[in-house]
Amino acid sequence: MTEAAIERAATPTLAKTANVLAKGALVLLLLFAVVYPDQAHMRDKAAGMRAIGYPLVSFTVPVLWWALWRDRISFPWLPDLLITITCFTDILGNRMDLYDTVVWFDDWMHLMNTGLLAAAFVLLTLPRDVGFGRVLERALAFGATAAIAWEVAEFFAFISRSTEREFAYADTLGDLTLGTAGAVVAAVVIHRSWRRGRLRDPRPLT
């Protein structure tokens, strides 16, 4: 594919700008959380692990695109933004102390962020002309796996040593249910958008 053809995949300027700003803000918030964990409301919440894991997650697509796909397709700004948002909103929610002051915020984050990750994975890996069954299968496969991986990491990172561990089982079941629901919502939104001619650029990273 020529460079001119690659450039024709249009991406709204808003998505590009939001992606760059979200990545920059994420790095700053993580630095603040590591240096001042109490002010960031990250004491005993695995601030160090987040400081390592979140940049790795949010910069995975740029690194893979640069190494493997930059000569074939334009940069997938929207999927990359969806991935970055999941990391950014978690750190921002802790910084604003929303997890401890808003009773439904944790549930909303599990629903929304798993859905965003599943949507990004579908956009990155599936052709735009597949049926809803394929989209739902891919969203659930990734979304459910991501939800389980997060709960395992969360348990070993801080819940196993927390006074909240006696309630962890019920909370984990609820979080897994919400994450799965988020993946289903993502599949519906993505498939309907494709059928209406939206979210078709760029091509999947295959």
Side-chain angles (χ1 to χ4, degrees):
M1 181 176 290
T2 65
E3 184 176 351
I6 293 174
E7 292 299 325
R8 283 201 294 269
T11 299
T13 301
L14 178 61
K16 298 179 181 180
T17 303
N19 197 6
V20 173
L21 291 177
K23 278 181 165 55
L26 171 64
V27 172
L28 291 176
L29 285 172
L30 286 170
L31 287 174
F32 185 85
V34 171
V35 177
Y36 305 107
D38 289 330
Q39 295 182 43
H41 305 288
M42 292 290 292
R43 177 70 66 183
D44 299 324
K45 292 185 178 181
M49 291 183 64
R50 281 179 163 92
I52 296 172
Y54 283 179
L56 288 175
V57 171
S58 61
F59 286 95
T60 292
V61 169
V63 170
L64 290 177
W65 175 82
W66 178 262
L68 302 174
W69 297 297
R70 72 181 188 274
D71 295 330
R72 291 188 290 155
I73 65 172
S74 60
F75 186 77
W77 287 99
L78 180 58
D80 188 50
L81 172 61
L82 298 181
I83 294 169
T84 303
I85 286 175
T86 63
C87 301
F88 172 69
T89 53
D90 178 66
I91 293 298
L92 182 64
N94 277 293
R95 176 68 181 88
M96 298 177 67
D97 201 24
L98 297 179
Y99 283 100
D100 294 326
T101 59
V102 179
V103 66
W104 49 263
F105 186 76
D106 181 69
D107 292 338
W108 168 248
M109 292 295 285
H110 282 278
L111 175 72
M112 179 189 73
N113 282 347
T114 305
L116 292 179
L117 288 174
F121 190 72
V122 169
L123 289 171
L124 288 170
T125 61
L126 276 182
R128 287 18 180 174
D129 58 352
V130 298
F132 177 68
R134 286 276 308 278
V135 178
L136 180 61
E137 177 186 47
R138 188 66 57 93
L140 282 173
F142 184 84
T145 301
I148 293 170
W150 174 260
E151 292 303 317
V152 172
E154 192 175 61
F155 178 81
F156 285 106
F158 57 89
I159 290 181
S160 61
R161 301 185 300 274
S162 171
T163 56
E164 300 177 1
R165 62 183 180 275
E166 60 182 300
F167 307 108
Y169 182 70
D171 184 66
T172 296
L173 288 178
D175 292 344
L176 291 174
T177 301
L178 289 166
T180 302
V184 173
V185 172
V188 172
V189 172
I190 294 296
H191 186 256
R192 292 189 65 179
S193 296
W194 284 349
R195 294 196 64 179
R196 295 175 180 177
R198 302 171 183 169
L199 304 182
R200 290 186 167 270
D201 292 321
R203 296 181 300 111
L205 302 178
T206 56

